[in-house]
DNA sequence: AATGTCACG
DNA sequence: ACGTACGTGACATTC
């Protein structure tokens, strides 16, 4: 079926300009807006496969709107030159890609779009309008959907008449009235002073239109009435200005809008000129990649000296091992504990080798395996942690990880989503690698290619590693992160691998028993719920549940999601007083979660080989420096509610007579905050080892310790959490279920007492603005490009991140240090105790009987001594016959 | 593949 | 007026 996409070119390029970091090409031209625009365009094309497509632009400076009102758009800031320059670039690129553009003298883009959509509506054609301008909502109809661009240009919200009704309870036409009343500062449309969205909506719900409101002022009183009567003309004129003109003369438009796909032969060179390598790749046009440095080296790369090693070449390789410093272990699958090893790429500066896995296992390859396991043979690679695990489960020990380029890339920019080797080649101007998907195929089509292709591909990976290493060393030095890399993250990666290989034993029988208990509760709850509702439905479907609760039972709608009714726990709590079934649903939800994720999910992860679960810690995911845990995630095992906490009983020592020993940092984040803010009062609290939430309550409410009741302490605790997260009055009000005003008052009280904390919060945001990044105590860095964004939400988010990251990140630094120290202590003392898990502020060990006393002393001492701050660190230790008992 | 929900620190 | 707490991963349903 025909599908037409209409893009508001001016609007989108503006948004892209402000949302994207200021990219420039090697010629020094800023290209960020063109880039942002194009990525969005490609996504639209991929997702919606339009048969017809245009980008509309404003033409000329004066439009017919100025004829009646010369200040129209008067308040708007002049377009920055960095953006104006990008208009011709974008228009050229669109032409080369084969995307039609419309520009009609005297009209704005939205008039063109409005007129085309009117014609399409009349012809019954499907249209999607893409813009960031809410005005466009007035064009929504049975056939026309408006895609409002959000979050820069990365997300869209789709609006038809129904969504508009749900959100505003207005028809599309009434959007014009809305703007007539509230105005629009960015277009210098005045509206009625003192009327914002809230008031405008109220008026429209009552009177229907601007005309209706003005005719009905008699029913109003006070200031509101005065304002409306005084500014009646303004409202009428504003409505006129906000009305999109839909009668632009268009000839032969439909044929001119036809879109048959991106024209590769002309788009390729155009994208190459702009140096949009990732887009070239995305369009499989990499052949056009710029003939810059990279391409020159690419030619050289074509003649890389690669040897596919067979039995006869093995000896040669073995004698070359001393010169080899980079390797790549090619394995498949996401979970490295279950990965198959496919082969090995090995590189010296001069020569590159590929060793198929079968050969690596042969008797003759013993010296190669010895080299792999030799801690004195330093190796560079990409994700050596994964390599270590994959080899381990094939019975091949791995050691000597000296330099992991994935880990270094993460430190250099931890927010960049997992940077694969090919992303890094682009970054460092190295020869491109074929994407794995091209070499292996993806999904069901995954297939190991013939030896020649495979060997070349994998050997190029190790060659690439070699090329990256040098440049990263330089960057780590420049950013003062060499120490963090060499003395913390690299040693930690080996420790993590050891913990994961060790795994933690799970008592499968007990877990199954627990599953039976849950099963009994679930079937009882399900039966009761169906009974009460008078029908059977899928309780796990929020959609079906919403239907039952809000339509069949007629409960009030508290909150909506973008696809329907929200039924999350917060909503259900509010509904509980209305209907008894809601409690049962809440209970069902919590037990069902335990059953599916923690009983069934965990059972699936227990290894057939070891009877344990072997999680995989990822060291390059969390932007703050924390670890994350997968397959299974052992960092979110239930503890808060007793029902769930029982799950912890099945985590047991792997040897008879041993114990589980756990220690967790007490209030590490607030202690870190006390240190980095230098707030004297907060430091005082920790120097005296006081209960920090009680102390906060005393200070905020101005009472003595014995006057602090549980409610006051609870509030103080929420404030403390808020402080760590980068507080907002709204967030706190939600958390405590109080008004925003009260929350705001709490926060003000808090900052009056904890002046040092206020200073820190102010300073860190200024710092971030100036430098573009924030750091932790150990110099871990996080860039915050949105800290200067014009968009309030983006900027606010960046500001909260600026406040939170040094705190959360320093806490992460500290426990990582403790892990390195603890590993060393165990080794030096020849202890048999083993580190098994890390849960952000907690370390879990299994400990033999005769080491228990020692470990109870040693562990908290090492943790507390990991780093010296101006307040003491404290770790509390506990132990038992399983993880539940160690509380 | 996206969405909603919920487990943890 | 805007629309929010910071950081993750797993599961089931729906598209």
């Amino acid at each position: 079926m025909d599908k037409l996409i209409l893009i508001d070119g001016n609007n989108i390029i503006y948004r892209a300009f402000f949302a994207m970091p200021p990219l420039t090409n090697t010629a020094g031209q800023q290209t960020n807006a063109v880039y942002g625009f194009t990525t969005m365009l490609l996504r639209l094309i991929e997702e919606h496969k339009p048969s017809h497509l245009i980008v509309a632009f404003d033409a000329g400076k004066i439009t017919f709107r100025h004829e009646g009102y010369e200040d129209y758009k008067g308040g708007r800031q002049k377009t920055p030159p960095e953006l104006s320059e990008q208009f011709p670039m974008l228009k050229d690129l669109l032409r080369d890609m084969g995307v039609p553009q419309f520009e009609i003298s005297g009209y704005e883009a939205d008039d063109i779009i409005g007129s085309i959509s009117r014609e399409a509506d009349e012809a019954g054609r499907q249209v999607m309008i893409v813009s960031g301008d809410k005005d466009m909502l007035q064009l929504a109809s049975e056939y026309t959907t408006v895609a409002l661009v959000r979050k820069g240009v990365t997300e869209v919200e789709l609006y038809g008449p129904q969504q508009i009704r749900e959100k505003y309870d207005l028809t599309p036409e009434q959007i014009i009235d809305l703007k007539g009343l509230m105005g629009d500062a960015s277009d210098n449309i005045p509206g009625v002073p003192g009327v914002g969205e809230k008031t405008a909506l109220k008026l429209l719900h009552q009177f229907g239109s601007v005309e209706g409101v003005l005719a009905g002022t008699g029913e109003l009183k006070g200031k509101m009435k005065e304002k409306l009567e005084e500014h009646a003309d303004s409202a009428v004129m504003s409505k006129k200005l906000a009305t999109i003109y839909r009668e632009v003369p268009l000839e032969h438009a439909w044929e001119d809008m036809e879109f048959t796909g991106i024209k590769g032969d002309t788009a390729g060179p155009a994208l190459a000129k702009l140096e949009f390598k990732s887009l070239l790749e995305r369009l499989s046009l990499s052949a056009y990649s710029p003939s810059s440095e990279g391409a020159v080296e690419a030619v050289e790369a074509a003649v890389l000296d690669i040897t596919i090693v067979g039995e006869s070449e093995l000896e040669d390789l073995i004698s070359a091992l001393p010169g080899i410093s980079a390797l790549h272990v090619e394995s498949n699958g996401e979970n490295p504990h279950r990965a198959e090893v496919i082969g090995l790429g090995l590189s010296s500066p001069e020569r590159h080798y590929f060793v198929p896995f079968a050969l690596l296992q042969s008797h003759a390859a013993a010296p190669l395996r010895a080299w792999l396991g030799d801690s004195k043979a330093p190796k560079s690679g990409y994700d050596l942690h994964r390599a270590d695990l994959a080899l381990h489960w094939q019975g091949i020990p791995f050691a000597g990880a000296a330099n992991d380029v994935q880990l270094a890339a993460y430190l250099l920019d931890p927010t960049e989503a997992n940077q694969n080797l090919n992303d890094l080649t682009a970054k460092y101007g190295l020869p491109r690698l074929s994407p794995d998907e091209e070499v292996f195929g993806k999904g069901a089509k995954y297939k190991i290619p013939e030896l020649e292709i495979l060997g070349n591909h994998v050997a190029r990976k190790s060659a690439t590693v070699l090329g990256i290493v040098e440049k990263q060393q330089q960057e780590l030095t420049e950013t003062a992160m060499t120490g963090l890399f060499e003395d913390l993250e690299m040693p930690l990666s080996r420790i993590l691998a050891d913990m994961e290989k060790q795994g933690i034993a799970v008592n499968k029988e007990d877990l199954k028993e627990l599953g039976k208990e849950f099963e009994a509760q679930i079937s009882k709850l399900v039966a009761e719920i169906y009974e009460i509702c008078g029908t059977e439905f899928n309780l796990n479907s929020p959609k079906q549940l919403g239907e039952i609760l809000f339509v069949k039972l007629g409960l009030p709608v508290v909150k909506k999601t973008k696809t329907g009714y929200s039924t999350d726990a917060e909503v259900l709590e509010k509904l509980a007083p209305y209907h008894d079934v809601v409690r049962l649903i809440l209970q069902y939800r919590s037990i069902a979660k335990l059953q599916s994720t923690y009983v069934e999910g965990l059972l699936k992860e227990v290894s057939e080989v070891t009877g344990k679960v072997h999680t995989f810690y990822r060291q390059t995911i969390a932007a703050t420096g924390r670890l994350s845990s997968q397959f299974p995630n052992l960092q979110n095992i239930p503890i808060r509610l007793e029902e769930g906490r029982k799950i912890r009983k099945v985590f047991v020592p792997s040897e008879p007579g041993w114990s589980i020993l756990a220690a967790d940092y007490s209030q590490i984040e607030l202690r870190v905050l006390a240190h980095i803010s230098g707030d004297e009062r907060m430091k005082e609290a920790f120097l005296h080892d006081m209960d920090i939430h009680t102390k906060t309550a005393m200070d905020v409410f101005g009472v003595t310790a014995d006057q602090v009741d549980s409610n006051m302490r609870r509030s103080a605790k929420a404030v403390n959490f808020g402080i760590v997260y980068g507080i907002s009055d709204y967030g706190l009000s939600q958390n405590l279920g109080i008004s925003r005003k009260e929350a705001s008052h709490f926060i003000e009280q808090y900052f009056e007492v904890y002046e040092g904390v206020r200073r820190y919060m102010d300073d860190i945001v200024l710092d971030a603005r100036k430098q573009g990044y924030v750091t932790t105590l150990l110099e871990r860095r996080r860039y915050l490009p949105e800290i200067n964004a014009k968009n309030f939400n983006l900027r606010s988010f960046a500001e909260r991140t600026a406040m939170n990251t040094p705190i959360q990140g320093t806490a992460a630094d500290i426990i990582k240090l403790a892990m390195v120290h603890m590993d060393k202590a165990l080794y030096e003392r020849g202890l048999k105790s083993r580190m098994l898990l890390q849960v952000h502020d907690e370390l879990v060990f299994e400990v033999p009987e005769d080491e228990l006393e020692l470990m109870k002393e040693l562990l908290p001492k090492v943790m507390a001594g990991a780093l010296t701050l101006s307040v003491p660190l404290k770790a509390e230790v506990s132990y038992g016959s399983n993880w539940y008992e160690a509380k």
Side-chain angles (χ1 to χ4, degrees):
Chain A
M1 191 170 93
D2 286 341
K3 182 158 189 186
L4 168 62
I5 296 186
L6 303 171
I7 299 176
D8 184 347
N10 286 70
N11 182 277
I12 300 297
I13 196 174
Y14 255 92
R15 294 189 70 91
F17 177 73
F18 291 111
M20 304 288 298
L23 289 176
T24 48
N25 64 11
T26 44
Q29 294 167 299
Q30 192 164 326
T31 55
N32 66 328
V34 179
Y35 181 80
F37 191 109
T38 313
T39 48
M40 195 206 70
L41 177 66
L42 294 183
R43 204 174 53 239
L44 285 170
I45 293 172
E46 282 163 16
E47 274 176 28
H48 299 282
K49 309 203 182 344
S51 61
H52 293 71
L53 166 67
I54 69 151
V55 181
F57 289 103
D58 299 348
K61 293 248 181 299
I62 301 286
T63 70
F64 72 93
R65 280 188 178 75
H66 290 83
E67 289 162 20
Y69 178 57
E70 51 220 49
D71 265 357
Y72 177 65
K73 297 206 170 175
R76 193 172 275 191
Q77 281 184 351
K78 214 174 156 327
T79 308
E82 295 81 14
L83 174 56
S84 337
E85 288 159 14
Q86 296 187 56
F87 272 91
M89 291 160 70
L90 176 63
K91 290 178 182 177
D92 287 348
L93 177 61
L94 291 173
R95 184 196 61 218
D96 293 335
M97 293 197 300
V99 175
Q101 11 183 349
F102 277 29
E103 216 179 292
I104 300 175
S105 168
Y107 295 99
E108 294 190 16
D110 47 357
D111 303 320
I112 299 174
I113 289 173
S115 305
I116 298 174
S117 82
R118 179 185 54 79
E119 290 191 355
D121 276 352
E122 286 164 8
R125 290 181 171 131
Q126 288 298 326
V127 175
M128 183 163 92
I129 293 172
V130 183
S131 176
D133 186 350
K134 278 191 188 160
D135 272 12
M136 290 289 186
L137 295 180
Q138 64 185 269
L139 302 177
S141 74
E142 185 188 348
Y143 301 105
T144 301
T145 311
V146 179
L148 272 195
V149 180
R150 292 272 153 251
K151 270 206 180 173
V153 290
T154 55
E155 283 177 19
V156 297
E157 281 173 14
L158 298 180
Y159 285 89
Q162 186 178 347
Q163 287 74 30
I164 295 173
R165 189 162 45 248
E166 280 166 15
K167 181 144 184 192
Y168 299 107
D169 197 18
L170 295 179
T171 64
E173 294 74 35
Q174 285 178 307
I175 295 293
I176 310 174
D177 296 278
L178 181 64
K179 192 132 166 200
L181 289 172
M182 60 187 274
D184 182 341
S186 68
D187 282 352
N188 213 23
I189 294 179
V192 177
V195 175
E197 184 174 303
K198 288 265 154 63
T199 318
L201 283 173
K202 215 171 80 191
L203 290 167
L204 287 176
H205 294 155
Q206 191 174 350
F207 298 109
S209 68
V210 167
E211 293 73 21
V213 173
L214 297 176
T217 50
E219 295 174 39
L220 298 168
K221 49 189 174 204
K223 268 266 181 301
M224 178 66 57
K225 182 179 174 188
E226 274 173 42
K227 290 263 184 204
L228 283 167
E229 286 172 348
E230 188 183 338
H231 297 96
D233 290 350
S234 168
V236 172
M237 183 186 68
S238 297
K239 178 170 174 181
K240 215 160 123 195
L241 287 171
T243 307
I244 294 175
Y245 183 70
R246 307 190 68 177
E247 305 291 342
V248 177
L250 301 157
E251 286 170 32
H252 310 297
W254 184 248
E255 295 71 38
D256 300 341
M257 293 187 282
E258 200 169 343
F259 175 72
T260 47
I262 302 282
K263 289 200 281 180
D265 52 343
T266 44
L271 289 166
K273 198 173 135 207
L274 291 162
E275 300 172 13
F276 293 165
K277 291 178 204 158
S278 62
L279 297 184
L280 283 168
E281 239 172 70
R282 185 159 160 186
L283 293 165
S284 308
L285 294 171
S286 303
Y288 293 98
S289 262
S291 58
S292 61
E293 243 183 339
V296 174
E297 289 179 47
V299 175
E300 288 168 18
V303 293
L304 270 189
D305 181 355
I306 294 174
T307 308
I308 311 264
V309 181
E311 273 175 56
S312 40
E313 288 82 8
L314 198 52
E315 208 168 313
D316 172 41
L317 164 64
I318 287 165
S319 63
L321 281 174
I324 287 177
S325 63
L327 90 166
H328 183 78
V329 176
E330 187 69 32
S331 62
N332 64 18
E334 280 237 70
N335 184 340
H337 293 292
R338 297 175 182 196
E340 287 173 293
V341 178
I342 296 164
L344 220 56
L346 297 159
S347 288
S348 72
E350 299 81 28
R351 295 190 64 183
H352 312 275
Y353 302 85
F354 174 72
V355 182
F357 184 59
L359 184 64
L360 179 63
Q361 289 176 300
S362 70
H363 178 71
L368 176 54
R369 294 195 298 273
W371 177 83
L372 283 173
D374 182 359
S375 63
K376 300 223 166 57
K379 302 160 185 87
S380 299
Y382 178 90
D383 202 355
L384 290 170
H385 172 199
R386 180 179 290 268
D388 182 344
L389 295 175
L391 289 171
H392 168 79
W393 295 110
Q394 303 297 333
I396 301 174
F398 178 85
N403 202 327
D404 189 321
V405 298
Q406 185 193 34
L407 208 37
Y410 165 74
L411 289 185
L412 290 168
D413 189 350
T415 46
E416 199 66 34
N418 222 5
Q419 310 177 68
N420 63 38
L421 257 184
N422 220 354
D423 297 334
L424 296 177
T425 64
K427 181 171 174 193
Y428 293 111
L430 293 164
R432 255 190 87 252
L433 289 164
S434 311
D436 280 343
E437 285 167 8
E438 264 172 40
V439 179
F440 295 98
K442 54 184 159 186
K445 292 201 186 114
Y446 180 91
K447 192 171 142 273
I448 294 172
E450 58 161 296
L451 187 60
E452 188 78 11
I453 294 175
L454 174 71
N456 268 294
H457 184 61
V458 177
R460 272 164 197 271
K461 287 192 179 182
S462 52
T464 301
V465 167
L466 216 47
I468 294 171
V469 167
E470 248 178 81
K471 313 203 179 194
Q472 279 185 333
Q473 299 285 335
Q474 172 76 22
E475 278 189 84
L476 287 170
T477 309
E478 287 164 4
T479 52
M481 287 194 285
T482 306
L484 181 65
F485 179 65
E486 291 178 356
D487 303 330
L488 188 66
E489 299 291 357
M490 282 308 305
L492 181 69
S493 80
R494 196 268 306 155
I495 295 169
L496 293 175
D498 285 351
M499 292 162 67
E500 294 158 353
K501 291 172 198 167
Q502 188 60 49
I504 183 165
V506 164
N507 186 329
K508 260 184 133 171
E509 295 318 309
D510 285 0
L511 189 53
K512 285 180 189 160
E513 270 312 307
L514 202 50
K516 280 184 200 155
E517 285 175 32
F518 290 150
E519 185 49 49
Q521 295 183 51
I522 287 172
S523 47
K524 186 157 167 261
L525 284 164
V526 169
E528 286 181 53
I529 291 167
Y530 290 164
E531 169 75 29
I532 295 174
C533 295
T535 175
E536 298 197 356
F537 59 100
N538 188 342
L539 253 175
N540 291 327
S541 160
K543 198 175 162 197
Q544 294 181 34
L545 178 62
E547 197 65 23
I548 299 283
L549 292 177
F550 303 110
V551 179
K552 188 153 190 291
L553 299 180
L555 297 178
V557 176
V558 183
K559 189 166 74 173
K560 293 197 154 188
T561 67
K562 59 177 120 175
T563 54
Y565 310 110
S566 171
T567 66
D568 65 23
E570 198 190 318
V571 168
L572 296 183
E573 282 298 338
K574 292 199 175 115
L575 296 179
Y578 293 92
H579 203 295
D580 291 344
V581 78
V582 178
R583 277 272 156 240
L584 300 177
I585 293 169
L586 278 164
Q587 284 175 29
Y588 167 81
R589 278 261 177 91
S590 75
I591 309 283
K593 173 83 177 179
L594 296 175
Q595 184 74 316
S596 68
T597 303
Y598 298 104
V599 176
E600 290 162 0
L602 202 55
L603 281 171
K604 279 186 221 145
E605 295 292 344
V606 177
S607 163
E608 298 288 334
V609 186
T610 62
K612 300 180 180 183
V613 286
H614 303 266
T615 191
F616 176 47
Y617 287 106
R618 299 197 62 181
Q619 215 176 337
T620 60
I621 296 294
T624 52
R626 278 191 175 181
L627 300 176
S628 88
S629 156
Q630 285 181 316
F631 319 130
N633 181 352
L634 294 183
Q635 291 182 320
N636 69 348
I637 303 301
I639 188 165
R640 292 172 192 169
L641 301 175
E642 177 56 28
E643 271 302 333
R645 193 173 197 157
K646 288 187 183 143
I647 300 280
R648 295 188 172 222
K649 293 188 179 179
V650 308
F651 291 90
V652 294
S654 64
E655 310 211 21
W658 288 38
S659 298
I660 296 289
L661 178 78
D664 65 307
Y665 279 111
S666 159
Q667 303 297 350
I668 187 165
E669 293 191 335
L670 288 170
R671 287 173 196 257
V672 166
L673 174 60
H675 173 84
I676 57 185
S677 72
D679 186 287
E680 288 305 329
R681 195 184 283 255
M682 194 181 237
K683 274 162 59 178
E684 194 70 11
F686 287 119
L687 287 167
H688 294 112
D689 199 20
M690 299 168 77
D691 176 321
I692 188 65
H693 302 315
T694 302
K695 166 76 169 139
T696 304
M698 290 162 59
D699 291 336
V700 170
F701 298 109
V703 297
T704 60
D706 51 352
Q707 288 171 314
V708 174
D709 63 29
S710 64
N711 216 9
M712 290 157 84
R713 186 176 180 281
R714 191 177 66 92
S715 302
K717 187 173 172 180
V719 173
N720 279 330
F721 267 98
I723 291 292
V724 169
Y725 292 155
I727 200 153
S728 75
D729 51 6
Y730 181 86
L732 182 63
S733 74
Q734 288 297 296
N735 194 298
L736 280 177
I738 58 177
S739 77
R740 206 162 137 165
K741 211 164 173 185
E742 290 169 297
S744 175
H745 182 67
F746 268 158
I747 295 168
E748 189 43 43
Q749 295 265 297
Y750 180 94
F751 279 137
E752 268 171 32
V753 189
Y754 296 96
E755 290 174 324
V757 176
R758 189 203 298 260
R759 203 173 322 115
Y760 162 75
M761 296 292 169
D762 293 344
D763 289 351
I764 194 74
V765 169
L766 291 178
D767 236 43
R769 253 180 230 150
K770 205 162 78 205
Q771 302 185 309
Y773 61 85
V774 291
T775 56
T776 66
L777 268 191
L778 298 194
E779 296 294 333
R780 185 187 305 280
R781 192 177 277 216
R782 178 173 181 180
Y783 293 93
L784 300 167
E786 284 161 351
I787 194 85
N788 291 312
K790 300 262 185 311
N791 178 308
F792 176 88
N793 285 324
L794 292 180
R795 191 177 63 245
S796 303
F797 189 45
E799 287 169 359
R800 292 196 296 271
T801 311
M803 299 182 224
N804 172 265
T805 294
I807 302 172
Q808 194 184 116
T810 299
D813 292 346
I814 291 172
I815 193 163
K816 283 178 168 178
L817 267 178
M819 292 168 79
V820 173
H821 292 171
M822 202 56 210
D823 179 79
K824 186 157 177 266
L826 292 180
Y827 177 79
E828 283 175 351
R829 293 164 191 244
L831 296 172
K832 298 194 288 296
S833 295
R834 303 167 184 141
M835 200 183 322
L836 302 181
L837 303 176
Q838 189 254 43
V839 193
H840 308 307
D841 67 353
E842 175 185 16
L843 293 175
V844 180
F845 291 73
E846 59 183 2
V847 178
E849 172 76 58
D850 61 348
E851 292 178 9
L852 189 56
E853 285 309 311
L854 170 68
M855 284 289 288
K856 275 161 59 184
E857 296 288 319
L858 179 66
L859 177 58
K861 206 172 107 202
V862 169
M863 286 173 73
L867 194 63
T868 305
L869 305 181
S870 58
V871 294
L873 288 173
K874 185 177 168 191
E876 287 168 315
V877 69
S878 59
Y879 67 96
S881 56
N882 55 53
W883 197 8
Y884 179 95
E885 301 295 337
K887 63 178 175 187

